Structure formats: C-alpha cells, structure tokens
Amino acid sequence: MDNKKQEVAFIIVPLSSGDDKTEKCEEIKELTLSAGAEIDEIFPYYVREISAATFITSGKIEEIKTSIDFDIVNLVIFDGELSPSQTLNISAALDDVKVIDRTTLILDIFASNAVTSEGKMQIELAQLKYIYPRLKGKGQGLSRLGGGIGTRGPGESRLETDRRHIRLRIKNLEKKLDELKTRRSVQTVRREKNECKTVALVGYTNTGKSTLLNALTGADTYCKDKLFATLDPTMRKLKLKNFEVVVVDTVGFIKNIPHHIIEAFKSTLEFAANADLILNVADGSGDWVNQLKTTEETLAEFKDLPPVVTVINKCDKVEDFTCFPQNAVFISAKNRVGLDKLKDRINEAFSDLYSILSLEISYADMPEFTSLAKLSESAEYDYKEDIVSVTLCVRKIYLGKFEKYLK
C-alpha cells in the first residue's frame, strides 16, 4: 500500500446463535491488521433475516450507515462471503465506500506474504478463481475498487481483462503448478530413497510454528506476530540424538477458509501429507480446541496421513493443564521450554526404524567396517589398544549387513 492513503476499516461481523462473538471479532480484527489496515470500529450483530440483495437487511444497513464516520472510514469489511451483487449493493447503500468480504481479505494477506514464485502463482490462481465468476463484462464492478486491500496480487489491469483471458491464465497457472507438483513428487521419492525422514509442522496460523522451527533447528526463518506470516514451506535439518530429520514449516490454517484456497495450496500442504510425522501445533493460551479441530479438518482432505503428535505451544501462559490432551507435548518455543521432550517424542516416533549397536571391531577389520559404517545414521568410535569400540545407529533394514560383527 505504499504511496496510498492508509485504509481505515469498519468491520461488519454477522453472528449466528452458536458463534462466540469475542472469538469472531478478535479473528477478523487480526486478519484486518495483518492486511495493513487500521480499524475504526467492529460492528457485530446477530443475523435474524437475510436480504438476497445485500445479505444485511435494509434496517440494519441504515444502522450501520449512521455508525460509520465516512470522513475517516474508506473501507468496509464483511466477515463472511458476499456475492458480487451483494458487494456492489452494500457499497451503493453506504455512500459508495469500498466493500470487501472475508475471502477477499484473506486472499489479499496471502498475496502480500507470498515470497516464492510458487507461492505467488498459488495466490494468483486462488484470486482469479474467486474473481472469475464475479466478473461482469470486463470487471465493471471491480473497477470501483481502486487500490489497496483486495486488489493486490494479479492487479487491476489483469482483473479487468476479458473472461477468456482469465480462463487461459487459470489454465496456465494450473499447468505450471502441476509441473511443480510432479517435480516435488520426484524430490519426495529421492528423499525416501536417501532415507531422509521428514517432520511437518502444521497448525492454526500464528500459533508459533516458525518460532518452533527456529528453536529446534537454529534456523532464522521469518517470524512475525501476524496471521499467515509464513506461506511458503521452509525446510531445515534437525539433529536428534542418533539421526537427522528434516523439519518442514507449512502454511497456517484458519477457520472457515474457503475451499478453493485450500485447493490452491494443496501442493504446499502435500509436504505435510507426505511427511513421516506431523506435529500439530496449537496455541495453549488461545482457542486450542478449535485450532486443533480446524487443522484436522483441513488435513482430512488427504488420505493415509502419517502419525500426528499434538504440540501445545505458549505453555508459559497456561496455568491449568488438566483440560489438554494427555498425550500432548507442552512447549514454549519462544522461551525454549519443553524442546528436549519434543525431540524425545520425535525420536520415539522413528525408534522402530533404528537400532543402536555397540560393537567391538579389530583393527584388521576396520577398513571393511569403515566402508560399511557409511550406512549408519551416526557413529562414535573409541580407539583402544587392541580393538575399536563403536556405537552405531543403524536402520533395521541394514542389520543383516552388520551380522558378522554382532555378538
């Protein structure tokens, strides 16, 4: 939003009887701030009747209109999904102020946070798929948006081209992403061939996954206290007691995320589906129940998932632990608390694959043994007068090769 007037938002939050008003208002607030807008007011209301033309009834629109200071507010955010005509009609009823819905807001945050070419393509694909059915002619409705939130990513000039051009662009992006998916499958096969074990960090957005990656591996992954700060998968090696694994940080999830956004990010989420272990990270000081549930529902898109370990982060802000899952690992990634226990759980998850061997090797056998020891994950040598004491971590599938040295 450089060189543009700061956007100040009035947020409309429709509620149903089962909604937690505080939670919904807090989440849309965080989304809005993550998009770079200021907030003038949040207007929650319980929906008793829906208008086909504007979703919001005319009486409620009048109430909203009297609540908005149009000298300050230049953006209205609706915490839900609107049809194209509803968006335009609400805007017209509110003195032509720019109106966007929740999906547009999320897509905008994604667009401003994507770093890699693949991430940018995924965002553009999701945006175009969302915008395409909303185009009328050459985007006459979209031309009213101006700049700022909701217009980042492909850009106005592209959005206002004809439907045929957008169809071709969608097809082209899908083809490129499929090629990247095929390349990633080859890389996955190569990792499996090299017996490199992967651990995927998944979970609700802003629960501290990137901070955890840094704390575990000593990496310097970008971390920020905002939603969707990480969109592109980041991989780092983690040295455990006897072997190494690769830890992958993936895009965060959020409640009510539109299905086509999940579809656009499936190639990224496949890092989790193809991992050997998943760490489902939740914020112990927040609504961890719904966070875990949202992640589980999103991952349900995939079949044959690997084992999952529940990780409750920010445990330094928790006083009562009795309500949490008994098998969860409690950590504070920021304060580096509980990381050894988490490493132990990761180690245990792969323990069935490895054996620790304590061997005594004669110096005459050392040349042959040294070549064989390359199959091990780790090796420690203690050179004594007549023999060499060796401690190896070996995958069980290779135990037969060491049979002659076993006593």
Side-chain angles (χ1 to χ4, degrees), residues 142-351:
L142 291 164
S143 67
R144 301 176 60 179
L145 292 179
I149 295 173
T151 61
R152 286 178 281 218
E156 286 180 275
S157 60
R158 179 169 293 157
L159 300 183
E160 294 186 356
T161 56
D162 58 45
R163 295 171 67 89
R164 179 176 174 274
H165 180 91
I166 291 179
R167 282 199 306 271
L168 291 173
R169 180 63 181 164
I170 288 173
K171 187 175 180 180
N172 182 256
L173 287 169
E174 288 176 333
K175 181 181 178 181
K176 287 182 178 179
L177 287 169
D178 281 342
E179 290 171 355
L180 287 171
K181 179 180 177 181
T182 301
R183 191 180 309 163
R184 186 179 294 110
S185 297
V186 172
Q187 292 171 344
T188 299
V189 171
R190 188 178 297 124
R191 278 201 305 273
E192 291 174 351
K193 187 177 180 181
N194 294 334
E195 293 150 5
C196 178
K197 295 300 169 186
T198 55
V199 178
L201 299 177
V202 303
Y204 213 74
T205 185
N206 208 29
T207 55
K209 296 187 301 298
S210 297
T211 303
L212 176 56
L213 178 72
N214 291 344
L216 285 173
T217 67
D220 57 354
T221 306
Y222 176 72
C223 298
K224 193 166 184 180
D225 184 20
K226 71 174 193 175
L227 304 187
F228 304 117
T230 302
L231 289 181
D232 301 298
T234 305
M235 292 182 283
R236 296 290 185 272
K237 285 185 178 181
L238 169 61
K239 182 72 171 70
L240 297 172
K241 185 177 181 180
N242 295 306
F243 55 90
E244 281 186 343
V245 296
V246 173
V247 183
V248 185
D249 185 14
T250 61
V251 63
F253 305 138
I254 195 168
K255 258 199 314 191
N256 300 323
I257 191 166
H259 183 76
H260 66 272
I261 295 181
I262 296 175
E263 283 294 320
F265 276 86
K266 266 197 171 179
S267 57
T268 300
L269 295 178
E270 280 172 357
F271 272 103
N274 293 327
D276 299 290
L277 180 69
I278 289 176
L279 303 184
N280 186 354
V281 184
D283 178 357
S285 65
D287 185 8
W288 59 271
V289 174
N290 277 319
Q291 290 174 11
L292 293 176
K293 182 181 177 183
T294 298
T295 302
E296 289 164 0
E297 289 175 347
T298 306
L299 289 176
E301 297 275 333
F302 301 93
K303 296 179 180 179
D304 302 322
L305 288 174
V308 178
V309 173
T310 300
V311 180
I312 304 298
N313 192 22
K314 307 182 186 180
C315 68
D316 51 311
K317 299 177 182 178
V318 177
E319 295 180 0
D320 182 9
F321 290 85
T322 58
C323 59
F324 292 96
Q326 292 184 349
N327 63 343
V329 180
F330 298 93
I331 67 165
S332 171
K334 183 177 180 181
N335 298 322
R336 306 183 71 84
V337 173
L339 297 185
D340 287 340
K341 289 183 179 179
L342 180 56
K343 289 180 183 178
D344 287 343
R345 284 291 293 275
I346 297 172
N347 203 78
E348 288 171 14
F350 298 111
S351 61

Side-chain angles (χ1 to χ4, degrees), residues 104-145:
T104 304
L105 179 64
I106 292 174
L107 285 170
D108 185 87
I109 298 169
F110 276 23
S112 59
N113 287 351
V115 176
T116 66
S117 58
E118 181 178 8
K120 291 176 181 178
M121 283 192 289
Q122 287 172 326
I123 294 302
E124 184 178 350
L125 177 61
Q127 286 179 312
L128 292 177
K129 282 187 172 183
Y130 186 67
I131 288 163
Y132 178 74
R134 287 163 166 75
L135 285 176
K136 296 181 178 179
K138 293 196 175 183
Q140 61 201 50
L142 291 164
S143 67
R144 301 176 60 179
L145 292 179

